[in-house]
Amino acid sequence: MKLAVIRIKGQVGLRKDIIETLNRLRIRRKYACIVLENPTGVELGMIKKVRDFTAFGEISEDMNKKLNEKRKSKIKNFFRLHPPRKGIDSKKHFGVNKGVLGDNGKDINKLLERML
């Protein structure tokens, strides 16, 4: 299982423990992305802690190949992405679960496609 984590929110107004967790995940800037292959329990705990500031989900093999072709950097599995084309409708709808933040499941591939 490969898990993609994209930082959606910026730095302003975040608590120090959230900033530290994002730094440990290597997503220090807005619209940065990491791909975790077989994430450990510790990494899953960190993702759970920052779920209100990131979008994450299971990435397909095709999308992983596209990311590696277009955005490969020297640091392993770290990517800088563009803001999504046509924007983000809403980051979060409280109670309705239509926002982009949190667990997107397979829909993370659609978001990544718009950000390449």
Side-chain angles (χ1 to χ4, degrees):
M1 176 174 95
K2 291 188 180 186
L3 202 64
V5 184
I6 307 168
R7 183 171 175 170
I8 302 295
K9 287 202 171 191
Q11 186 93 357
V12 177
L14 296 184
R15 296 190 329 249
K16 288 186 179 181
D17 60 330
I18 299 294
I19 292 171
E20 179 66 26
T21 305
L22 290 167
N23 286 340
R24 287 176 187 244
L25 283 170
R26 298 184 319 271
I27 43 179
R28 293 174 179 88
R29 300 175 126 190
K30 195 172 179 181
Y31 304 127
C33 173
I34 58 165
V35 176
L36 301 171
E37 192 167 338
N38 298 323
T40 64
V42 173
E43 290 170 334
L44 291 174
M46 287 193 285
I47 291 169
K48 184 178 178 183
K49 184 174 183 175
V50 297
R51 71 181 178 272
D52 293 333
F53 310 100
T54 60
F56 60 92
E58 192 172 339
I59 188 173
S60 67
E61 282 298 321
D62 295 337
M63 183 54 64
N64 193 27
K65 287 179 185 176
K66 283 184 187 179
L67 269 176
N68 283 325
E69 287 172 9
K70 292 192 176 188
R71 298 277 167 209
K72 192 62 178 177
S73 70
K74 292 176 183 179
I75 300 172
K76 186 177 180 183
N77 294 333
F78 169 78
F79 308 97
R80 290 294 310 273
L81 301 172
H82 295 289
R85 287 183 189 89
K86 298 185 182 178
I88 297 175
D89 278 343
S90 173
K91 290 184 179 177
K92 189 158 201 164
H93 285 288
F94 293 99
V96 184
N97 294 329
K98 289 188 178 178
V100 94
L101 294 176
D103 189 4
N104 286 284
K106 301 280 186 184
D107 291 337
I108 197 76
N109 295 312
K110 295 176 190 172
L111 180 63
L112 280 169
E113 186 68 42
R114 290 175 34 211
M115 295 177 88
L116 283 178

